[in-house]
Amino acid sequence: DYKRALSIKPDFFNVMDNLGALFAIRGQYDSSLFYLNRALEINPDYAPAIRNRGLTFMALHRYEDAIKDFEKFLFYEPRRAGIHNTIGVSYQNLKKYPESIAAFTKAIEFSPEAVFYLNRSYSYNALQNTEMAKRDALLAKQGGAQIPVDYQKSLGIQ
């Protein structure tokens, strides 16, 4: 249906975005990027395509590119806690822990979800700040996050 829609209206950028997202779900990342890039060539400010391309970059472990897209997406929707969290995860994968902590902190400001605290705990732990790692892990646990037993033991949490 998407391809049929594009044969009728070749510049239908939101259809290209949907097609790009579909290819990403299927793990066909080259095709995903092709359609998402085309959508953004036509409408560079189309936030859903920016977000979807960022997610595709993450799947490809292209974290720097993902961060750029997510930060651009936040220009349009600055209060999206999940996107701030995803930026934090991208920074973690790049071993840029202070940046990841800042991103997780922003996510927590908008929505104090247990997983955001757990993610920030991992970054504090990577920086050997055990006190802050433990504090966030306890907040995550209180919020219902599933914390690996080995990680809890390493922080002295029972």
Side-chain angles (χ1 to χ4, degrees):
D1 289 341
Y2 290 139
K3 287 186 177 183
R4 192 167 350 129
L6 289 176
S7 71
I8 297 167
K9 187 175 183 203
D11 62 346
F12 208 168
F13 61 87
N14 55 339
V15 168
M16 288 178 203
D17 171 49
N18 289 337
L19 195 52
L22 179 63
F23 278 118
I25 290 167
R26 291 181 172 178
Q28 297 171 301
Y29 301 118
D30 289 340
S31 296
S32 174
L33 287 176
F34 173 81
Y35 285 103
L36 293 169
N37 286 333
R38 284 281 299 125
L40 291 168
E41 286 170 14
I42 296 166
N43 186 349
D45 298 321
Y46 190 58
I50 296 167
R51 181 198 59 229
N52 286 334
R53 188 173 67 179
L55 292 170
T56 301
F57 284 143
M58 278 199 72
L60 291 167
H61 305 279
R62 290 174 54 182
Y63 301 112
E64 295 281 354
D65 292 325
I67 291 167
K68 287 178 190 172
D69 274 355
F70 293 136
E71 287 177 347
K72 185 175 180 182
F73 176 82
L74 288 173
F75 176 78
Y76 303 101
E77 297 188 39
R79 299 183 61 83
R80 291 288 291 269
I83 296 298
H84 288 285
N85 180 67
T86 304
I87 290 170
V89 170
S90 296
Y91 278 126
Q92 276 182 332
N93 282 303
L94 294 169
K95 299 188 183 333
K96 294 183 176 183
Y97 300 111
E99 293 89 341
S100 71
I101 289 168
F104 295 133
T105 300
K106 197 71 163 170
I108 290 165
E109 286 175 19
F110 292 124
S111 181
E113 295 180 30
V115 68
F116 301 163
Y117 283 104
L118 182 58
N119 287 341
R120 190 170 70 176
S121 174
Y122 290 140
S123 289
Y124 278 127
N125 195 51
L127 292 173
Q128 299 178 348
N129 187 338
T130 307
E131 182 181 319
M132 295 299 285
K134 183 176 182 177
R135 184 200 66 171
D136 275 357
L138 286 169
L139 289 168
K141 188 173 183 178
Q142 289 170 358
Q146 297 296 316
I147 303 174
V149 174
D150 290 346
Y151 186 63
Q152 291 185 63
K153 285 182 183 177
S154 75
L155 296 175
I157 299 172
Q158 298 301 335

mmCIF file with all atom_site columns, all heavy atoms in Angstrom, residues 56-70:
data_model
loop_
_atom_site.group_PDB
_atom_site.id
_atom_site.type_symbol
_atom_site.label_atom_id
_atom_site.label_alt_id
_atom_site.label_comp_id
_atom_site.label_asym_id
_atom_site.label_entity_id
_atom_site.label_seq_id
_atom_site.pdbx_PDB_ins_code
_atom_site.Cartn_x
_atom_site.Cartn_y
_atom_site.Cartn_z
_atom_site.occupancy
_atom_site.B_iso_or_equiv
_atom_site.pdbx_formal_charge
_atom_site.auth_seq_id
_atom_site.auth_comp_id
_atom_site.auth_asym_id
_atom_site.auth_atom_id
_atom_site.pdbx_PDB_model_num
ATOM 1   N N   . THR A 1 56 ? 16.837 3.983  13.798 1.00 0.00 ? 56 THR A N   1
ATOM 2   C CA  . THR A 1 56 ? 17.540 3.126  12.834 1.00 0.00 ? 56 THR A CA  1
ATOM 3   C C   . THR A 1 56 ? 19.040 3.234  13.035 1.00 0.00 ? 56 THR A C   1
ATOM 4   O O   . THR A 1 56 ? 19.753 2.218  13.026 1.00 0.00 ? 56 THR A O   1
ATOM 5   C CB  . THR A 1 56 ? 17.144 3.505  11.395 1.00 0.00 ? 56 THR A CB  1
ATOM 6   O OG1 . THR A 1 56 ? 15.724 3.349  11.252 1.00 0.00 ? 56 THR A OG1 1
ATOM 7   C CG2 . THR A 1 56 ? 17.854 2.629  10.374 1.00 0.00 ? 56 THR A CG2 1
ATOM 8   N N   . PHE A 1 57 ? 19.546 4.448  13.246 1.00 0.00 ? 57 PHE A N   1
ATOM 9   C CA  . PHE A 1 57 ? 20.977 4.613  13.521 1.00 0.00 ? 57 PHE A CA  1
ATOM 10  C C   . PHE A 1 57 ? 21.384 3.850  14.784 1.00 0.00 ? 57 PHE A C   1
ATOM 11  O O   . PHE A 1 57 ? 22.454 3.241  14.827 1.00 0.00 ? 57 PHE A O   1
ATOM 12  C CB  . PHE A 1 57 ? 21.340 6.093  13.671 1.00 0.00 ? 57 PHE A CB  1
ATOM 13  C CG  . PHE A 1 57 ? 21.418 6.854  12.368 1.00 0.00 ? 57 PHE A CG  1
ATOM 14  C CD1 . PHE A 1 57 ? 20.988 8.171  12.307 1.00 0.00 ? 57 PHE A CD1 1
ATOM 15  C CD2 . PHE A 1 57 ? 21.940 6.287  11.219 1.00 0.00 ? 57 PHE A CD2 1
ATOM 16  C CE1 . PHE A 1 57 ? 21.071 8.904  11.124 1.00 0.00 ? 57 PHE A CE1 1
ATOM 17  C CE2 . PHE A 1 57 ? 22.025 6.997  10.028 1.00 0.00 ? 57 PHE A CE2 1
ATOM 18  C CZ  . PHE A 1 57 ? 21.589 8.310  9.986  1.00 0.00 ? 57 PHE A CZ  1
ATOM 19  N N   . MET A 1 58 ? 20.528 3.874  15.807 1.00 0.00 ? 58 MET A N   1
ATOM 20  C CA  . MET A 1 58 ? 20.848 3.113  17.016 1.00 0.00 ? 58 MET A CA  1
ATOM 21  C C   . MET A 1 58 ? 20.953 1.617  16.715 1.00 0.00 ? 58 MET A C   1
ATOM 22  O O   . MET A 1 58 ? 21.868 0.955  17.194 1.00 0.00 ? 58 MET A O   1
ATOM 23  C CB  . MET A 1 58 ? 19.792 3.343  18.099 1.00 0.00 ? 58 MET A CB  1
ATOM 24  C CG  . MET A 1 58 ? 20.030 4.614  18.862 1.00 0.00 ? 58 MET A CG  1
ATOM 25  S SD  . MET A 1 58 ? 19.181 4.652  20.427 1.00 0.00 ? 58 MET A SD  1
ATOM 26  C CE  . MET A 1 58 ? 20.120 3.493  21.389 1.00 0.00 ? 58 MET A CE  1
ATOM 27  N N   . ALA A 1 59 ? 20.018 1.117  15.931 1.00 0.00 ? 59 ALA A N   1
ATOM 28  C CA  . ALA A 1 59 ? 20.043 -0.308 15.580 1.00 0.00 ? 59 ALA A CA  1
ATOM 29  C C   . ALA A 1 59 ? 21.328 -0.667 14.829 1.00 0.00 ? 59 ALA A C   1
ATOM 30  O O   . ALA A 1 59 ? 21.818 -1.792 14.933 1.00 0.00 ? 59 ALA A O   1
ATOM 31  C CB  . ALA A 1 59 ? 18.816 -0.672 14.747 1.00 0.00 ? 59 ALA A CB  1
ATOM 32  N N   . LEU A 1 60 ? 21.864 0.297  14.101 1.00 0.00 ? 60 LEU A N   1
ATOM 33  C CA  . LEU A 1 60 ? 23.107 0.095  13.348 1.00 0.00 ? 60 LEU A CA  1
ATOM 34  C C   . LEU A 1 60 ? 24.353 0.424  14.185 1.00 0.00 ? 60 LEU A C   1
ATOM 35  O O   . LEU A 1 60 ? 25.467 0.399  13.674 1.00 0.00 ? 60 LEU A O   1
ATOM 36  C CB  . LEU A 1 60 ? 23.103 0.969  12.087 1.00 0.00 ? 60 LEU A CB  1
ATOM 37  C CG  . LEU A 1 60 ? 22.093 0.570  11.014 1.00 0.00 ? 60 LEU A CG  1
ATOM 38  C CD1 . LEU A 1 60 ? 21.950 1.671  9.972  1.00 0.00 ? 60 LEU A CD1 1
ATOM 39  C CD2 . LEU A 1 60 ? 22.521 -0.744 10.364 1.00 0.00 ? 60 LEU A CD2 1
ATOM 40  N N   . HIS A 1 61 ? 24.146 0.758  15.453 1.00 0.00 ? 61 HIS A N   1
ATOM 41  C CA  . HIS A 1 61 ? 25.230 1.136  16.364 1.00 0.00 ? 61 HIS A CA  1
ATOM 42  C C   . HIS A 1 61 ? 25.950 2.399  15.901 1.00 0.00 ? 61 HIS A C   1
ATOM 43  O O   . HIS A 1 61 ? 27.120 2.600  16.213 1.00 0.00 ? 61 HIS A O   1
ATOM 44  C CB  . HIS A 1 61 ? 26.227 -0.018 16.569 1.00 0.00 ? 61 HIS A CB  1
ATOM 45  C CG  . HIS A 1 61 ? 25.572 -1.265 17.038 1.00 0.00 ? 61 HIS A CG  1
ATOM 46  N ND1 . HIS A 1 61 ? 25.238 -1.487 18.357 1.00 0.00 ? 61 HIS A ND1 1
ATOM 47  C CD2 . HIS A 1 61 ? 25.146 -2.365 16.357 1.00 0.00 ? 61 HIS A CD2 1
ATOM 48  C CE1 . HIS A 1 61 ? 24.655 -2.659 18.465 1.00 0.00 ? 61 HIS A CE1 1
ATOM 49  N NE2 . HIS A 1 61 ? 24.573 -3.210 17.277 1.00 0.00 ? 61 HIS A NE2 1
ATOM 50  N N   . ARG A 1 62 ? 25.235 3.239  15.205 1.00 0.00 ? 62 ARG A N   1
ATOM 51  C CA  . ARG A 1 62 ? 25.763 4.536  14.767 1.00 0.00 ? 62 ARG A CA  1
ATOM 52  C C   . ARG A 1 62 ? 25.265 5.587  15.775 1.00 0.00 ? 62 ARG A C   1
ATOM 53  O O   . ARG A 1 62 ? 24.406 6.402  15.475 1.00 0.00 ? 62 ARG A O   1
ATOM 54  C CB  . ARG A 1 62 ? 25.307 4.842  13.335 1.00 0.00 ? 62 ARG A CB  1
ATOM 55  C CG  . ARG A 1 62 ? 25.957 3.944  12.298 1.00 0.00 ? 62 ARG A CG  1
ATOM 56  C CD  . ARG A 1 62 ? 25.417 4.140  10.908 1.00 0.00 ? 62 ARG A CD  1
ATOM 57  N NE  . ARG A 1 62 ? 25.476 5.526  10.445 1.00 0.00 ? 62 ARG A NE  1
ATOM 58  C CZ  . ARG A 1 62 ? 25.018 5.933  9.253  1.00 0.00 ? 62 ARG A CZ  1
ATOM 59  N NH1 . ARG A 1 62 ? 24.485 5.048  8.413  1.00 0.00 ? 62 ARG A NH1 1
ATOM 60  N NH2 . ARG A 1 62 ? 25.088 7.198  8.915  1.00 0.00 ? 62 ARG A NH2 1
ATOM 61  N N   . TYR A 1 63 ? 25.826 5.518  16.962 1.00 0.00 ? 63 TYR A N   1
ATOM 62  C CA  . TYR A 1 63 ? 25.299 6.286  18.089 1.00 0.00 ? 63 TYR A CA  1
ATOM 63  C C   . TYR A 1 63 ? 25.473 7.799  17.923 1.00 0.00 ? 63 TYR A C   1
ATOM 64  O O   . TYR A 1 63 ? 24.600 8.557  18.332 1.00 0.00 ? 63 TYR A O   1
ATOM 65  C CB  . TYR A 1 63 ? 25.917 5.802  19.399 1.00 0.00 ? 63 TYR A CB  1
ATOM 66  C CG  . TYR A 1 63 ? 25.637 4.337  19.636 1.00 0.00 ? 63 TYR A CG  1
ATOM 67  C CD1 . TYR A 1 63 ? 26.657 3.395  19.599 1.00 0.00 ? 63 TYR A CD1 1
ATOM 68  C CD2 . TYR A 1 63 ? 24.326 3.892  19.850 1.00 0.00 ? 63 TYR A CD2 1
ATOM 69  C CE1 . TYR A 1 63 ? 26.383 2.048  19.794 1.00 0.00 ? 63 TYR A CE1 1
ATOM 70  C CE2 . TYR A 1 63 ? 24.052 2.550  20.049 1.00 0.00 ? 63 TYR A CE2 1
ATOM 71  C CZ  . TYR A 1 63 ? 25.085 1.637  20.015 1.00 0.00 ? 63 TYR A CZ  1
ATOM 72  O OH  . TYR A 1 63 ? 24.819 0.308  20.203 1.00 0.00 ? 63 TYR A OH  1
ATOM 73  N N   . GLU A 1 64 ? 26.572 8.233  17.356 1.00 0.00 ? 64 GLU A N   1
ATOM 74  C CA  . GLU A 1 64 ? 26.764 9.674  17.141 1.00 0.00 ? 64 GLU A CA  1
ATOM 75  C C   . GLU A 1 64 ? 25.669 10.217 16.221 1.00 0.00 ? 64 GLU A C   1
ATOM 76  O O   . GLU A 1 64 ? 25.101 11.282 16.481 1.00 0.00 ? 64 GLU A O   1
ATOM 77  C CB  . GLU A 1 64 ? 28.149 9.967  16.558 1.00 0.00 ? 64 GLU A CB  1
ATOM 78  C CG  . GLU A 1 64 ? 29.305 9.628  17.478 1.00 0.00 ? 64 GLU A CG  1
ATOM 79  C CD  . GLU A 1 64 ? 29.558 10.664 18.561 1.00 0.00 ? 64 GLU A CD  1
ATOM 80  O OE1 . GLU A 1 64 ? 28.903 11.733 18.561 1.00 0.00 ? 64 GLU A OE1 1
ATOM 81  O OE2 . GLU A 1 64 ? 30.413 10.399 19.422 1.00 0.00 ? 64 GLU A OE2 1
ATOM 82  N N   . ASP A 1 65 ? 25.382 9.492  15.148 1.00 0.00 ? 65 ASP A N   1
ATOM 83  C CA  . ASP A 1 65 ? 24.322 9.912  14.226 1.00 0.00 ? 65 ASP A CA  1
ATOM 84  C C   . ASP A 1 65 ? 22.961 9.880  14.918 1.00 0.00 ? 65 ASP A C   1
ATOM 85  O O   . ASP A 1 65 ? 22.128 10.766 14.708 1.00 0.00 ? 65 ASP A O   1
ATOM 86  C CB  . ASP A 1 65 ? 24.294 9.015  12.986 1.00 0.00 ? 65 ASP A CB  1
ATOM 87  C CG  . ASP A 1 65 ? 25.516 9.198  12.101 1.00 0.00 ? 65 ASP A CG  1
ATOM 88  O OD1 . ASP A 1 65 ? 26.021 10.339 12.008 1.00 0.00 ? 65 ASP A OD1 1
ATOM 89  O OD2 . ASP A 1 65 ? 25.961 8.201  11.502 1.00 0.00 ? 65 ASP A OD2 1
ATOM 90  N N   . ALA A 1 66 ? 22.743 8.866  15.737 1.00 0.00 ? 66 ALA A N   1
ATOM 91  C CA  . ALA A 1 66 ? 21.473 8.755  16.470 1.00 0.00 ? 66 ALA A CA  1
ATOM 92  C C   . ALA A 1 66 ? 21.295 9.952  17.398 1.00 0.00 ? 66 ALA A C   1
ATOM 93  O O   . ALA A 1 66 ? 20.218 10.565 17.431 1.00 0.00 ? 66 ALA A O   1
ATOM 94  C CB  . ALA A 1 66 ? 21.432 7.448  17.260 1.00 0.00 ? 66 ALA A CB  1
ATOM 95  N N   . ILE A 1 67 ? 22.344 10.297 18.124 1.00 0.00 ? 67 ILE A N   1
ATOM 96  C CA  . ILE A 1 67 ? 22.268 11.433 19.052 1.00 0.00 ? 67 ILE A CA  1
ATOM 97  C C   . ILE A 1 67 ? 21.917 12.716 18.295 1.00 0.00 ? 67 ILE A C   1
ATOM 98  O O   . ILE A 1 67 ? 21.067 13.496 18.739 1.00 0.00 ? 67 ILE A O   1
ATOM 99  C CB  . ILE A 1 67 ? 23.591 11.578 19.837 1.00 0.00 ? 67 ILE A CB  1
ATOM 100 C CG1 . ILE A 1 67 ? 23.743 10.413 20.815 1.00 0.00 ? 67 ILE A CG1 1
ATOM 101 C CG2 . ILE A 1 67 ? 23.651 12.922 20.564 1.00 0.00 ? 67 ILE A CG2 1
ATOM 102 C CD1 . ILE A 1 67 ? 25.134 10.269 21.409 1.00 0.00 ? 67 ILE A CD1 1
ATOM 103 N N   . LYS A 1 68 ? 22.541 12.931 17.155 1.00 0.00 ? 68 LYS A N   1
ATOM 104 C CA  . LYS A 1 68 ? 22.241 14.139 16.364 1.00 0.00 ? 68 LYS A CA  1
ATOM 105 C C   . LYS A 1 68 ? 20.763 14.197 15.997 1.00 0.00 ? 68 LYS A C   1
ATOM 106 O O   . LYS A 1 68 ? 20.121 15.245 16.111 1.00 0.00 ? 68 LYS A O   1
ATOM 107 C CB  . LYS A 1 68 ? 23.098 14.168 15.097 1.00 0.00 ? 68 LYS A CB  1
ATOM 108 C CG  . LYS A 1 68 ? 24.544 14.496 15.343 1.00 0.00 ? 68 LYS A CG  1
ATOM 109 C CD  . LYS A 1 68 ? 25.327 14.443 14.045 1.00 0.00 ? 68 LYS A CD  1
ATOM 110 C CE  . LYS A 1 68 ? 26.816 14.539 14.313 1.00 0.00 ? 68 LYS A CE  1
ATOM 111 N NZ  . LYS A 1 68 ? 27.615 14.303 13.113 1.00 0.00 ? 68 LYS A NZ  1
ATOM 112 N N   . ASP A 1 69 ? 20.222 13.070 15.538 1.00 0.00 ? 69 ASP A N   1
ATOM 113 C CA  . ASP A 1 69 ? 18.808 13.057 15.165 1.00 0.00 ? 69 ASP A CA  1
ATOM 114 C C   . ASP A 1 69 ? 17.900 13.247 16.384 1.00 0.00 ? 69 ASP A C   1
ATOM 115 O O   . ASP A 1 69 ? 16.925 13.992 16.323 1.00 0.00 ? 69 ASP A O   1
ATOM 116 C CB  . ASP A 1 69 ? 18.441 11.764 14.438 1.00 0.00 ? 69 ASP A CB  1
ATOM 117 C CG  . ASP A 1 69 ? 18.703 11.844 12.939 1.00 0.00 ? 69 ASP A CG  1
ATOM 118 O OD1 . ASP A 1 69 ? 19.077 12.933 12.438 1.00 0.00 ? 69 ASP A OD1 1
ATOM 119 O OD2 . ASP A 1 69 ? 18.534 10.820 12.258 1.00 0.00 ? 69 ASP A OD2 1
ATOM 120 N N   . PHE A 1 70 ? 18.222 12.580 17.484 1.00 0.00 ? 70 PHE A N   1
ATOM 121 C CA  . PHE A 1 70 ? 17.372 12.723 18.670 1.00 0.00 ? 70 PHE A CA  1
ATOM 122 C C   . PHE A 1 70 ? 17.414 14.144 19.219 1.00 0.00 ? 70 PHE A C   1
ATOM 123 O O   . PHE A 1 70 ? 16.397 14.672 19.660 1.00 0.00 ? 70 PHE A O   1
ATOM 124 C CB  . PHE A 1 70 ? 17.764 11.713 19.748 1.00 0.00 ? 70 PHE A CB  1
ATOM 125 C CG  . PHE A 1 70 ? 17.478 10.295 19.367 1.00 0.00 ? 70 PHE A CG  1
ATOM 126 C CD1 . PHE A 1 70 ? 18.414 9.307  19.606 1.00 0.00 ? 70 PHE A CD1 1
ATOM 127 C CD2 . PHE A 1 70 ? 16.273 9.932  18.766 1.00 0.00 ? 70 PHE A CD2 1
ATOM 128 C CE1 . PHE A 1 70 ? 18.150 7.976  19.260 1.00 0.00 ? 70 PHE A CE1 1
ATOM 129 C CE2 . PHE A 1 70 ? 16.002 8.616  18.416 1.00 0.00 ? 70 PHE A CE2 1
ATOM 130 C CZ  . PHE A 1 70 ? 16.950 7.638  18.665 1.00 0.00 ? 70 PHE A CZ  1
#
